[in-house]
PDB file of all heavy atoms in Angstrom:
ATOM      1  N   ASP A  83      11.891 -16.255  -3.761  1.00  0.00           N
ATOM      2  CA  ASP A  83      12.305 -17.454  -2.970  1.00  0.00           C
ATOM      3  C   ASP A  83      11.262 -18.538  -3.110  1.00  0.00           C
ATOM      4  O   ASP A  83      11.660 -19.777  -3.196  1.00  0.00           O
ATOM      5  CB  ASP A  83      12.436 -17.091  -1.438  1.00  0.00           C
ATOM      6  CG  ASP A  83      13.601 -16.105  -1.265  1.00  0.00           C
ATOM      7  OD1 ASP A  83      14.417 -16.009  -2.101  1.00  0.00           O
ATOM      8  OD2 ASP A  83      13.594 -15.415  -0.232  1.00  0.00           O
ATOM      9  N   TYR A  84       9.963 -18.202  -3.056  1.00  0.00           N
ATOM     10  CA  TYR A  84       8.997 -19.193  -3.263  1.00  0.00           C
ATOM     11  C   TYR A  84       8.759 -19.663  -4.691  1.00  0.00           C
ATOM     12  O   TYR A  84       8.403 -20.799  -4.912  1.00  0.00           O
ATOM     13  CB  TYR A  84       7.603 -18.691  -2.699  1.00  0.00           C
ATOM     14  CG  TYR A  84       7.617 -18.480  -1.150  1.00  0.00           C
ATOM     15  CD1 TYR A  84       7.107 -17.436  -0.550  1.00  0.00           C
ATOM     16  CD2 TYR A  84       8.131 -19.529  -0.328  1.00  0.00           C
ATOM     17  CE1 TYR A  84       7.122 -17.324   0.839  1.00  0.00           C
ATOM     18  CE2 TYR A  84       8.182 -19.365   1.043  1.00  0.00           C
ATOM     19  CZ  TYR A  84       7.594 -18.296   1.621  1.00  0.00           C
ATOM     20  OH  TYR A  84       7.650 -18.176   3.006  1.00  0.00           O
ATOM     21  N   VAL A  85       8.963 -18.756  -5.611  1.00  0.00           N
ATOM     22  CA  VAL A  85       8.820 -19.099  -6.964  1.00  0.00           C
ATOM     23  C   VAL A  85       9.966 -20.045  -7.360  1.00  0.00           C
ATOM     24  O   VAL A  85       9.641 -21.032  -8.036  1.00  0.00           O
ATOM     25  CB  VAL A  85       8.840 -17.816  -7.886  1.00  0.00           C
ATOM     26  CG1 VAL A  85       8.911 -18.238  -9.314  1.00  0.00           C
ATOM     27  CG2 VAL A  85       7.573 -16.941  -7.579  1.00  0.00           C
ATOM     28  N   ASN A  86      11.199 -19.820  -6.968  1.00  0.00           N
ATOM     29  CA  ASN A  86      12.314 -20.687  -7.374  1.00  0.00           C
ATOM     30  C   ASN A  86      12.408 -21.873  -6.418  1.00  0.00           C
ATOM     31  O   ASN A  86      13.223 -22.766  -6.706  1.00  0.00           O
ATOM     32  CB  ASN A  86      13.545 -19.867  -7.318  1.00  0.00           C
ATOM     33  CG  ASN A  86      13.558 -18.768  -8.365  1.00  0.00           C
ATOM     34  OD1 ASN A  86      12.860 -18.903  -9.362  1.00  0.00           O
ATOM     35  ND2 ASN A  86      14.286 -17.693  -8.202  1.00  0.00           N
ATOM     36  N   GLY A  87      11.747 -21.877  -5.279  1.00  0.00           N
ATOM     37  CA  GLY A  87      11.930 -22.899  -4.289  1.00  0.00           C
ATOM     38  C   GLY A  87      11.372 -24.277  -4.824  1.00  0.00           C
ATOM     39  O   GLY A  87      10.427 -24.293  -5.581  1.00  0.00           O
ATOM     40  N   THR A  88      11.995 -25.333  -4.327  1.00  0.00           N
ATOM     41  CA  THR A  88      11.552 -26.643  -4.803  1.00  0.00           C
ATOM     42  C   THR A  88      10.832 -27.406  -3.702  1.00  0.00           C
ATOM     43  O   THR A  88      10.118 -28.338  -3.923  1.00  0.00           O
ATOM     44  CB  THR A  88      12.746 -27.481  -5.235  1.00  0.00           C
ATOM     45  OG1 THR A  88      13.693 -27.534  -4.201  1.00  0.00           O
ATOM     46  CG2 THR A  88      13.355 -26.865  -6.451  1.00  0.00           C
ATOM     47  N   ASP A  89      11.002 -26.961  -2.419  1.00  0.00           N
ATOM     48  CA  ASP A  89      10.288 -27.670  -1.328  1.00  0.00           C
ATOM     49  C   ASP A  89       8.935 -27.108  -1.102  1.00  0.00           C
ATOM     50  O   ASP A  89       8.742 -26.000  -0.477  1.00  0.00           O
ATOM     51  CB  ASP A  89      11.166 -27.452  -0.054  1.00  0.00           C
ATOM     52  CG  ASP A  89      10.626 -28.269   1.116  1.00  0.00           C
ATOM     53  OD1 ASP A  89       9.662 -29.142   0.905  1.00  0.00           O
ATOM     54  OD2 ASP A  89      11.090 -28.079   2.234  1.00  0.00           O
ATOM     55  N   GLN A  90       7.884 -27.768  -1.604  1.00  0.00           N
ATOM     56  CA  GLN A  90       6.559 -27.323  -1.567  1.00  0.00           C
ATOM     57  C   GLN A  90       6.074 -27.187  -0.115  1.00  0.00           C
ATOM     58  O   GLN A  90       5.278 -26.245   0.219  1.00  0.00           O
ATOM     59  CB  GLN A  90       5.651 -28.196  -2.342  1.00  0.00           C
ATOM     60  CG  GLN A  90       5.921 -28.205  -3.830  1.00  0.00           C
ATOM     61  CD  GLN A  90       5.628 -26.845  -4.452  1.00  0.00           C
ATOM     62  OE1 GLN A  90       4.637 -26.237  -4.119  1.00  0.00           O
ATOM     63  NE2 GLN A  90       6.418 -26.383  -5.422  1.00  0.00           N
ATOM     64  N   GLU A  91       6.547 -28.068   0.750  1.00  0.00           N
ATOM     65  CA  GLU A  91       6.042 -28.000   2.093  1.00  0.00           C
ATOM     66  C   GLU A  91       6.509 -26.759   2.840  1.00  0.00           C
ATOM     67  O   GLU A  91       5.882 -26.134   3.619  1.00  0.00           O
ATOM     68  CB  GLU A  91       6.527 -29.304   2.859  1.00  0.00           C
ATOM     69  CG  GLU A  91       5.879 -29.531   4.232  1.00  0.00           C
ATOM     70  CD  GLU A  91       4.395 -29.609   4.115  1.00  0.00           C
ATOM     71  OE1 GLU A  91       3.873 -30.136   3.224  1.00  0.00           O
ATOM     72  OE2 GLU A  91       3.709 -29.091   5.133  1.00  0.00           O
ATOM     73  N   GLU A  92       7.790 -26.386   2.578  1.00  0.00           N
ATOM     74  CA  GLU A  92       8.359 -25.220   3.186  1.00  0.00           C
ATOM     75  C   GLU A  92       7.589 -23.937   2.679  1.00  0.00           C
ATOM     76  O   GLU A  92       7.316 -23.074   3.435  1.00  0.00           O
ATOM     77  CB  GLU A  92       9.838 -25.092   2.820  1.00  0.00           C
ATOM     78  CG  GLU A  92      10.553 -23.819   3.313  1.00  0.00           C
ATOM     79  CD  GLU A  92      11.930 -23.743   2.929  1.00  0.00           C
ATOM     80  OE1 GLU A  92      12.595 -24.764   2.767  1.00  0.00           O
ATOM     81  OE2 GLU A  92      12.410 -22.632   2.773  1.00  0.00           O
ATOM     82  N   ILE A  93       7.297 -23.930   1.405  1.00  0.00           N
ATOM     83  CA  ILE A  93       6.562 -22.826   0.790  1.00  0.00           C
ATOM     84  C   ILE A  93       5.219 -22.742   1.441  1.00  0.00           C
ATOM     85  O   ILE A  93       4.752 -21.654   1.845  1.00  0.00           O
ATOM     86  CB  ILE A  93       6.441 -22.934  -0.747  1.00  0.00           C
ATOM     87  CG1 ILE A  93       7.781 -22.821  -1.357  1.00  0.00           C
ATOM     88  CG2 ILE A  93       5.437 -21.953  -1.391  1.00  0.00           C
ATOM     89  CD1 ILE A  93       7.843 -23.225  -2.811  1.00  0.00           C
ATOM     90  N   ARG A  94       4.536 -23.831   1.559  1.00  0.00           N
ATOM     91  CA  ARG A  94       3.092 -23.888   2.122  1.00  0.00           C
ATOM     92  C   ARG A  94       3.168 -23.428   3.555  1.00  0.00           C
ATOM     93  O   ARG A  94       2.314 -22.726   4.016  1.00  0.00           O
ATOM     94  CB  ARG A  94       2.560 -25.307   1.998  1.00  0.00           C
ATOM     95  CG  ARG A  94       1.195 -25.412   2.540  1.00  0.00           C
ATOM     96  CD  ARG A  94       0.510 -26.647   2.138  1.00  0.00           C
ATOM     97  NE  ARG A  94       0.469 -26.643   0.650  1.00  0.00           N
ATOM     98  CZ  ARG A  94       0.328 -27.733  -0.041  1.00  0.00           C
ATOM     99  NH1 ARG A  94       0.123 -28.897   0.494  1.00  0.00           N
ATOM    100  NH2 ARG A  94       0.233 -27.704  -1.382  1.00  0.00           N
ATOM    101  N   THR A  95       4.195 -23.868   4.347  1.00  0.00           N
ATOM    102  CA  THR A  95       4.284 -23.520   5.725  1.00  0.00           C
ATOM    103  C   THR A  95       4.422 -21.990   5.887  1.00  0.00           C
ATOM    104  O   THR A  95       3.822 -21.292   6.678  1.00  0.00           O
ATOM    105  CB  THR A  95       5.417 -24.218   6.374  1.00  0.00           C
ATOM    106  OG1 THR A  95       5.206 -25.612   6.266  1.00  0.00           O
ATOM    107  CG2 THR A  95       5.539 -23.947   7.907  1.00  0.00           C
ATOM    108  N   GLY A  96       5.312 -21.404   5.077  1.00  0.00           N
ATOM    109  CA  GLY A  96       5.631 -19.926   5.131  1.00  0.00           C
ATOM    110  C   GLY A  96       4.345 -19.170   4.767  1.00  0.00           C
ATOM    111  O   GLY A  96       3.996 -18.174   5.409  1.00  0.00           O
ATOM    112  N   VAL A  97       3.707 -19.582   3.765  1.00  0.00           N
ATOM    113  CA  VAL A  97       2.419 -18.875   3.353  1.00  0.00           C
ATOM    114  C   VAL A  97       1.362 -19.036   4.428  1.00  0.00           C
ATOM    115  O   VAL A  97       0.701 -17.994   4.713  1.00  0.00           O
ATOM    116  CB  VAL A  97       1.994 -19.305   1.914  1.00  0.00           C
ATOM    117  CG1 VAL A  97       0.601 -18.774   1.609  1.00  0.00           C
ATOM    118  CG2 VAL A  97       2.975 -18.983   0.847  1.00  0.00           C
ATOM    119  N   ASP A  98       1.238 -20.202   4.911  1.00  0.00           N
ATOM    120  CA  ASP A  98       0.221 -20.476   5.961  1.00  0.00           C
ATOM    121  C   ASP A  98       0.496 -19.664   7.231  1.00  0.00           C
ATOM    122  O   ASP A  98      -0.438 -19.107   7.754  1.00  0.00           O
ATOM    123  CB  ASP A  98       0.166 -21.911   6.395  1.00  0.00           C
ATOM    124  CG  ASP A  98      -0.513 -22.779   5.338  1.00  0.00           C
ATOM    125  OD1 ASP A  98      -1.148 -22.227   4.413  1.00  0.00           O
ATOM    126  OD2 ASP A  98      -0.355 -24.055   5.366  1.00  0.00           O
ATOM    127  N   GLN A  99       1.769 -19.461   7.583  1.00  0.00           N
ATOM    128  CA  GLN A  99       2.118 -18.640   8.703  1.00  0.00           C
ATOM    129  C   GLN A  99       1.736 -17.231   8.488  1.00  0.00           C
ATOM    130  O   GLN A  99       1.212 -16.475   9.341  1.00  0.00           O
ATOM    131  CB  GLN A  99       3.572 -18.825   9.094  1.00  0.00           C
ATOM    132  CG  GLN A  99       3.965 -20.109   9.673  1.00  0.00           C
ATOM    133  CD  GLN A  99       5.457 -20.254   9.915  1.00  0.00           C
ATOM    134  OE1 GLN A  99       6.292 -19.509   9.316  1.00  0.00           O
ATOM    135  NE2 GLN A  99       5.826 -21.311  10.672  1.00  0.00           N
ATOM    136  N   CYS A 100       2.031 -16.673   7.314  1.00  0.00           N
ATOM    137  CA  CYS A 100       1.732 -15.302   7.008  1.00  0.00           C
ATOM    138  C   CYS A 100       0.230 -15.069   6.956  1.00  0.00           C
ATOM    139  O   CYS A 100      -0.290 -14.011   7.579  1.00  0.00           O
ATOM    140  CB  CYS A 100       2.374 -14.881   5.575  1.00  0.00           C
ATOM    141  SG  CYS A 100       4.065 -14.682   5.525  1.00  0.00           S
ATOM    142  N   ILE A 101      -0.479 -15.957   6.476  1.00  0.00           N
ATOM    143  CA  ILE A 101      -1.999 -15.915   6.430  1.00  0.00           C
ATOM    144  C   ILE A 101      -2.567 -15.989   7.787  1.00  0.00           C
ATOM    145  O   ILE A 101      -3.421 -15.227   8.168  1.00  0.00           O
ATOM    146  CB  ILE A 101      -2.566 -16.939   5.434  1.00  0.00           C
ATOM    147  CG1 ILE A 101      -2.249 -16.559   4.060  1.00  0.00           C
ATOM    148  CG2 ILE A 101      -4.081 -16.996   5.558  1.00  0.00           C
ATOM    149  CD1 ILE A 101      -2.554 -17.588   3.018  1.00  0.00           C
ATOM    150  N   GLN A 102      -2.038 -16.883   8.633  1.00  0.00           N
ATOM    151  CA  GLN A 102      -2.532 -17.065   9.982  1.00  0.00           C
ATOM    152  C   GLN A 102      -2.253 -15.802  10.744  1.00  0.00           C
ATOM    153  O   GLN A 102      -3.172 -15.333  11.520  1.00  0.00           O
ATOM    154  CB  GLN A 102      -1.840 -18.273  10.626  1.00  0.00           C
ATOM    155  CG  GLN A 102      -2.468 -18.593  11.952  1.00  0.00           C
ATOM    156  CD  GLN A 102      -3.978 -18.928  11.828  1.00  0.00           C
ATOM    157  OE1 GLN A 102      -4.437 -19.639  10.945  1.00  0.00           O
ATOM    158  NE2 GLN A 102      -4.817 -18.397  12.732  1.00  0.00           N
ATOM    159  N   LYS A 103      -1.152 -15.131  10.633  1.00  0.00           N
ATOM    160  CA  LYS A 103      -0.834 -13.883  11.360  1.00  0.00           C
ATOM    161  C   LYS A 103      -1.773 -12.819  10.909  1.00  0.00           C
ATOM    162  O   LYS A 103      -2.322 -12.120  11.732  1.00  0.00           O
ATOM    163  CB  LYS A 103       0.578 -13.471  11.067  1.00  0.00           C
ATOM    164  CG  LYS A 103       0.921 -12.174  11.838  1.00  0.00           C
ATOM    165  CD  LYS A 103       2.388 -11.757  11.525  1.00  0.00           C
ATOM    166  CE  LYS A 103       2.671 -10.391  12.283  1.00  0.00           C
ATOM    167  NZ  LYS A 103       3.956  -9.826  11.851  1.00  0.00           N
ATOM    168  N   PHE A 104      -2.046 -12.680   9.602  1.00  0.00           N
ATOM    169  CA  PHE A 104      -3.025 -11.707   9.023  1.00  0.00           C
ATOM    170  C   PHE A 104      -4.343 -12.005   9.688  1.00  0.00           C
ATOM    171  O   PHE A 104      -5.061 -11.065  10.151  1.00  0.00           O
ATOM    172  CB  PHE A 104      -3.040 -11.770   7.587  1.00  0.00           C
ATOM    173  CG  PHE A 104      -4.072 -10.969   7.003  1.00  0.00           C
ATOM    174  CD1 PHE A 104      -3.960  -9.560   6.860  1.00  0.00           C
ATOM    175  CD2 PHE A 104      -5.264 -11.485   6.437  1.00  0.00           C
ATOM    176  CE1 PHE A 104      -4.904  -8.717   6.353  1.00  0.00           C
ATOM    177  CE2 PHE A 104      -6.240 -10.689   5.901  1.00  0.00           C
ATOM    178  CZ  PHE A 104      -6.041  -9.219   5.867  1.00  0.00           C
TER     179      PHE A 104
END
Side-chain angles (χ1 to χ4, degrees):
D83 295 339
Y84 289 137
V85 172
N86 296 334
T88 56
D89 186 9
Q90 293 295 322
E91 190 60 34
E92 179 182 329
I93 294 170
R94 181 167 299 161
T95 303
V97 170
D98 285 346
Q99 287 175 347
C100 288
I101 291 173
Q102 190 59 44
K103 180 180 178 188
F104 174 75

